[in-house]
Amino acid sequence: MKTSDFYYNLPEELIAQDPLEDRSSSRLLILDKETGKTEHHIFKEIINYLNPGDCLVINDTKVIPARLIGEKIGTGAKIEVLLLKRKEKDVWETLVKPGKKMKVGAQVSFGNGLLIGEVIEVVEEGNRLIKFHYEGIFEEVLDQLGEMPLPPYITHQLQDRNRYNTVYAKNEGSAAAPTAGLHFTSELLDAIQEKGVDIARVTLHVGLGTFRPVKVEDVTEHHMHSEFYQVDEEAAEKINRAKDGAGRVICVGTTSCRTIESAADETGHLKPCSGWTEIFIYPGYKFKMLDCLITNFHLPESTLIMLVSALAGKEHVMAAYEEAVKERYRFFSFGDAMFIK
């Protein structure tokens, strides 16, 4: 299986640069994974495709303002630091640009010294471990100085940082949003629950590896980045109930999917657990928990388009993407959605 098998041509003007005023007014492409048949709707109409007894699985991670712009102490050179993973209380694994300027011992100042970072180690792929020095509470300092780490294909300034988080975001720790969830409003979620659909909250902290291109031609040689996930007792119970009953397990986004597929045992059941996952889902994978998926449109040749192809078949997915391009859907983080049923 080749990476190039998952390429499609996307006109640049179809990459959504700004979120819609009403989250639930995005377009929704319905894809039948068995037949490849498609329908076109508005996202809020997703409720018509959810049934009593189904379980909707959402990822309640919260994106932190993880992008910091500072100056190298001693030279004044502009340095950009992206927080990736917290390793200890004040030590983070980071992506630094330009990295060559920031060797072990180098220091960078943010906010005229409100926050000082010192490189203490260079690790895998050139990432830096940085120890931060500050007064007060780190999260409050970060909230004051940091920016939302928007993906590189979004060039517009985000006016309201809350729009790069879901309405149910709770557990801080992501460097990127679980974007399929951005379409839901509180009102829509309430209406879905009133219909008799269970909503299970899981957590997976999304890393920037989600945007990392697949650089090998043989898909099976790609190594996935690791991300922290957590499934509590209440979520496991709700998901197992749908699985054991007549309902379906419907994940909101590839991150929720990767969480429950990582946490599932061989019998297709969940137990409360947490850990790090490097699961890579591509065609040929047998799903243990997932029945249906609500997702955005993904980058060509990405691990995410491979995941949706594992669920609905590469031919069906690539045909649906071509149709979405033809119908002028909006793509990627702030774009439109697809429901694979």
Side-chain angles (χ1 to χ4, degrees):
M1 194 181 320
K2 295 179 179 178
T3 300
S4 54
D5 292 339
F6 298 90
Y7 177 80
Y8 66 95
N9 186 43
L10 178 68
E12 197 173 323
E13 67 268 19
L14 296 186
I15 300 174
Q17 293 294 328
D18 302 289
L20 297 179
E21 191 171 331
D22 173 11
R23 289 175 183 260
S24 63
S25 65
S26 296
R27 295 169 74 188
L28 177 68
L29 188 149
I30 307 285
L31 173 63
D32 186 314
K33 64 178 184 279
E34 304 301 333
T35 66
K37 184 177 176 238
T38 57
E39 301 171 36
H40 302 283
H41 293 274
I42 301 299
F43 187 82
K44 62 187 70 170
E45 295 169 352
I46 190 76
I47 192 168
N48 300 329
Y49 291 86
L50 306 178
N51 305 321
D54 287 344
C55 182
L56 195 67
V57 185
I58 60 177
N59 180 8
D60 67 3
T61 188
K62 189 171 187 178
V63 184
I64 59 174
R67 184 172 180 254
L68 291 160
I69 309 291
E71 294 181 353
K72 185 180 179 185
I73 294 176
T75 68
K78 181 185 172 185
I79 303 292
E80 180 178 334
V81 173
L82 213 48
L83 306 181
L84 299 179
K85 292 177 191 168
R86 190 176 226 148
K87 308 299 273 188
E88 298 169 33
K89 183 176 182 290
D90 292 322
V91 176
W92 286 75
E93 183 176 337
T94 68
L95 179 65
V96 177
K97 295 180 187 175
K100 289 178 182 176
K101 291 181 184 287
M102 297 299 289
K103 295 181 169 57
V104 172
Q107 293 185 314
V108 58
S109 169
F110 307 97
N112 295 318
L114 275 177
L115 183 66
I116 303 289
E118 180 182 356
V119 179
I120 59 173
E121 192 181 337
V122 179
V123 292
E124 188 183 355
E125 297 182 349
N127 291 348
R128 267 67 175 161
L129 291 189
I130 291 184
K131 184 174 177 66
F132 289 101
H133 306 274
Y134 54 91
E135 287 185 10
I137 299 168
F138 180 78
E139 285 74 15
E140 291 180 359
V141 176
L142 187 62
D143 203 47
Q144 184 179 342
L145 300 178
E147 300 174 11
M148 280 304 201
L150 294 179
Y153 49 73
I154 292 178
T155 56
H156 290 192
Q157 195 77 28
L158 184 63
Q159 300 304 315
D160 177 5
R161 66 166 58 171
N162 288 327
R163 292 308 304 272
Y164 196 54
N165 266 314
T166 62
V167 295
Y168 47 78
K170 180 182 175 187
N171 294 313
E172 293 190 335
S174 274
T179 54
L182 296 178
H183 302 284
F184 286 92
T185 62
S186 299
E187 294 78 13
L188 180 56
L189 287 167
D190 287 345
I192 287 168
Q193 278 188 296
E194 284 168 18
K195 191 174 180 180
V197 177
D198 259 341
I199 296 180
R201 290 171 168 259
V202 299
T203 303
L204 182 137
H205 292 320
V206 190
L208 283 185
T210 193
F211 302 118
R212 188 176 294 151
V214 178
K215 293 180 178 176
V216 290
E217 183 57 7
D218 181 350
V219 166
T220 61
E221 291 177 4
H222 177 70
H223 177 67
M224 286 290 283
H225 55 289
S226 66
E227 295 170 317
F228 179 80
Y229 73 90
Q230 192 162 16
V231 178
D232 66 17
E233 193 169 340
E234 183 185 349
E237 195 176 291
K238 287 180 176 180
I239 295 166
N240 287 336
R241 186 162 61 231
K243 203 70 188 167
D244 291 339
R248 299 167 297 170
V249 176
I250 302 167
C251 282
V252 177
T254 58
T255 61
S256 300
C257 165
R258 293 178 70 239
T259 301
I260 65 169
E261 290 296 316
S262 298
D265 63 24
E266 290 311 310
T267 69
H269 288 81
L270 287 180
K271 290 178 181 171
C273 61
S274 64
W276 294 83
T277 179
E278 295 179 349
I279 191 170
F280 181 18
I281 297 174
Y282 54 87
Y285 179 85
K286 301 293 183 212
F287 288 90
K288 294 178 277 190
M289 298 295 302
L290 179 76
D291 295 308
C292 308
L293 180 68
I294 297 168
T295 183
N296 277 24
F297 293 94
H298 305 295
L299 288 156
E301 301 183 330
S302 64
T303 59
L304 304 180
I305 198 171
M306 293 172 191
L307 185 153
V308 296
S309 296
L311 179 63
K314 183 173 73 70
E315 289 74 18
H316 289 166
V317 167
M318 300 313 290
Y321 268 62
E322 286 179 18
E323 185 176 345
V325 169
K326 185 181 169 188
E327 296 290 331
R328 311 291 290 175
Y329 272 67
R330 300 162 74 248
F331 278 66
F332 305 160
S333 297
F334 289 139
D336 296 318
M338 176 190 283
F339 178 43
I340 301 174
K341 68 181 182 76

